[in-house]
């Protein structure tokens, strides 16, 4: 993935991280209810989940570039913040998500949502390679205004 455009790399990393996240959610039984209850919409739900993962991957890529680092630790911090926002959004718009157990929000559901987003961030930090630092070039004498010793604008 090293020669690709950084946004393409971050999108691909987001899709991979979302796929792993979906497998964890499936294993816990939350995704399985969607599959068993409404099989024709399952393909659409998986595609939407992967597309959203790719979109959030691009956001994470910009965030990694903004702090000039990526890695599992930074990714986990971003994932925890992402998960906290997800819990708040899901708590004001009930959707039968993992946050809700027996019809009302639960701490276990909130912890699960934050946890899988921390996993997403960890994977993003590991899979995403930040842009190579562009070496600063020195200002040439022709670019300096005569008498000011500062670069010309």
């Amino acid at each position: 993935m090293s020669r690709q455009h950084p946004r393409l790399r971050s999108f691909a990393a987001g899709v991979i991280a979302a796929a792993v996240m979906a497998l964890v959610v499936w294993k816990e039984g939350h995704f399985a209810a969607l599959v068993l209850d409404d099989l024709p919409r399952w393909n659409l739900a998986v595609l939407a989940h992967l597309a959203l993962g790719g979109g959030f991957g691009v956001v994470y890529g910009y965030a990694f570039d903004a702090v000039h680092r990526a890695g599992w630790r930074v990714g986990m911090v971003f994932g925890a913040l992402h998960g906290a926002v997800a819990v708040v959004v899901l708590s004001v718009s009930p959707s039968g998500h993992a946050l809700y157990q027996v019809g009302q929000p639960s701490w276990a559901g909130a912890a699960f949502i934050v946890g899988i987003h921390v996993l997403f961030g960890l994977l993003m930090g590991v899979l995403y390679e930040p842009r190579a630092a562009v070496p600063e070039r020195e200002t040439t004498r022709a670019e300096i205004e005569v008498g000011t010793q500062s670069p010309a604008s």
Side-chain angles (χ1 to χ4, degrees):
M1 278 206 254
S2 61
R3 294 199 184 264
Q4 295 172 339
H5 189 276
R7 296 307 146 236
L8 183 57
R9 284 196 324 260
S10 59
F11 184 85
V15 169
I16 292 167
V20 171
M21 188 176 162
L23 289 174
V24 170
V25 173
W26 181 296
K27 179 77 173 138
E28 288 297 314
H30 301 293
F31 223 52
L34 175 64
V35 173
L36 297 176
D37 293 343
D38 201 357
L39 192 58
R41 288 185 14 196
W42 177 76
N43 292 335
L44 182 59
V46 170
L47 288 176
H49 180 76
L50 295 177
L52 284 169
F56 278 109
V58 171
V59 172
Y60 275 63
Y62 279 117
F64 289 139
D65 289 346
V67 298
H68 303 291
R69 68 170 75 182
W72 65 273
R73 289 182 185 130
V74 177
M76 288 178 73
V77 170
F78 289 164
L81 294 171
H82 182 187
V85 169
V87 166
V88 170
V89 169
L90 291 172
S91 67
V92 297
S93 62
S95 63
H97 226 274
L99 176 63
Y100 289 86
Q101 293 180 350
V102 194
Q104 59 186 350
S106 71
W107 286 108
F112 181 76
I113 289 173
V114 171
I116 60 172
H117 284 88
V118 168
L119 173 65
F120 181 87
L122 179 143
L123 292 170
M124 281 300 303
V126 170
L127 295 173
Y128 178 71
E129 298 173 19
R131 288 185 289 187
V134 178
E136 295 279 334
R137 73 173 184 81
E138 294 196 24
T139 306
T140 63
R141 187 169 289 270
E143 294 174 324
I144 299 177
E145 290 183 79
V146 178
T148 64
Q149 298 299 316
S150 64
S153 47

